[in-house]
Amino acid sequence: GENVEQHPSTLSVQEGDSAVIKCTYSDSASNYFPWYKQELGKGPQLIIDIRSNVGEKKDQRIAVTLNKTAKHFSLHITETQPEDSAVYFCAASGSGTASKLTFGTGTRLQVTL
Amino acid sequence: NAGVTQTPKFQVLKTGQSMTLQCAQDMNHEYMSWYRQDPGMGLRLIHYSVGAGITDQGEVPNGYNVSRSTTEDFPLRLLSAAPSQTSVYFCASTPQGAGTEAFFGQGTRLTVV
């Protein structure tokens, strides 16, 4: 089955700096790569996703890049703000109706003033 | 729309007791899944369902049962609780398989003593 590795496990940045979280996956058949943000006491919420036919996707201060050859994808957050502090999860899945979503182990991001 | 609703939010069980974690969604999603979240291990798939009457095992199914008699409901049953099942449990639903946005409930924090 799919295996997703995520690094780093914790990340501390100063407000205004950029943050980068990296993930690798093992199954070359995976073609959907979402990123979820989990705030304390809440369920994960999708913040951005990318499919294998796209190399990069941006949404305001967040962007995701995908390198299918190397089987890795990254989340980039620019101009970080205190409200970006949360746990971030990457994930990977195929697109079939019976496919499964496999998550990385999470990155705790802390944005300090 | 309420989205995905999980009950209860908190539960303490004694070893050997059984219980059912409830999950309901009002978005008419076909695909539903249960995850457990443990420190340092991300979210791990327990069971999933691609539609009413169809369920399948995920990564960590032992000790858990599921059924899907309606599109809306996907309960998770603990047959004989063990301390190793102490975790936070999340239910999620997606419109079409794992390759689309997953909507998570608020979670159930379960402690088995």
Side-chain angles (χ1 to χ4, degrees):
Chain A
E2 176 66 276
N3 181 49
V4 178
E5 295 190 358
Q6 182 173 348
H7 300 281
S9 57
T10 60
L11 180 60
S12 182
V13 299
Q14 285 198 321
E15 182 180 7
D17 286 350
S18 295
V20 180
I21 303 170
K22 298 183 179 181
C23 289
T24 60
Y25 62 99
S26 62
D27 189 350
S28 57
S30 291
N31 57 11
Y32 176 66
F33 307 94
W35 286 88
Y36 286 84
K37 176 183 181 182
Q38 186 180 27
E39 297 177 340
L40 197 61
K42 297 185 177 181
Q45 191 166 16
L46 181 75
I47 55 172
I48 195 167
D49 56 13
I50 192 168
R51 298 190 184 275
S52 58
N53 57 349
V54 176
E56 183 176 4
K57 184 176 178 181
K58 289 184 180 180
D59 184 1
Q60 299 183 335
R61 296 186 298 107
I62 60 174
V64 58
T65 58
L66 171 66
N67 183 327
K68 279 214 73 179
T69 303
K71 296 202 193 98
H72 66 71
F73 56 113
S74 301
L75 178 71
H76 304 253
I77 305 174
T78 58
E79 300 172 22
T80 53
Q81 301 168 1
E83 52 265 37
D84 294 328
S85 295
V87 179
Y88 292 81
F89 291 97
C90 63
S93 84
S95 57
T97 53
S99 57
K100 306 172 191 177
L101 190 61
T102 302
F103 284 85
T105 50
T107 297
R108 182 174 299 279
L109 173 65
Q110 184 165 9
V111 180
T112 58
L113 298 174
Chain B
N1 285 353
V4 179
T5 303
Q6 288 184 238
T7 56
K9 286 187 169 54
F10 302 94
Q11 183 70 49
V12 178
L13 284 180
K14 293 183 178 179
T15 297
Q17 285 185 318
S18 62
M19 81 159 293
T20 300
L21 279 62
Q22 301 291 345
C23 176
Q25 54 95 3
D26 61 0
M27 297 172 284
N28 203 31
H29 288 170
E30 288 297 322
Y31 188 103
M32 296 185 73
S33 50
W34 276 101
Y35 294 87
R36 59 178 289 174
Q37 183 175 24
D38 302 292
M41 303 189 77
L43 293 115
R44 292 181 294 168
L45 182 65
I46 305 171
H47 285 286
Y48 67 103
S49 169
V50 300
I54 306 169
T55 63
D56 206 348
Q57 296 181 349
E59 180 185 355
V60 288
N62 292 342
Y64 307 95
N65 270 0
V66 292
S67 60
R68 185 95 180 270
S69 56
T70 67
T71 299
E72 294 77 21
D73 300 299
F74 191 41
L76 178 72
R77 297 182 186 84
L78 279 70
L79 308 172
S80 177
S84 61
Q85 294 178 304
T86 294
S87 188
V88 181
Y89 291 85
F90 287 98
C91 177
S93 74
T94 65
Q96 290 176 329
T100 54
E101 178 178 0
F103 294 83
F104 284 85
Q106 293 288 303
T108 295
R109 182 173 293 276
L110 176 68
T111 302
V112 183
V113 298

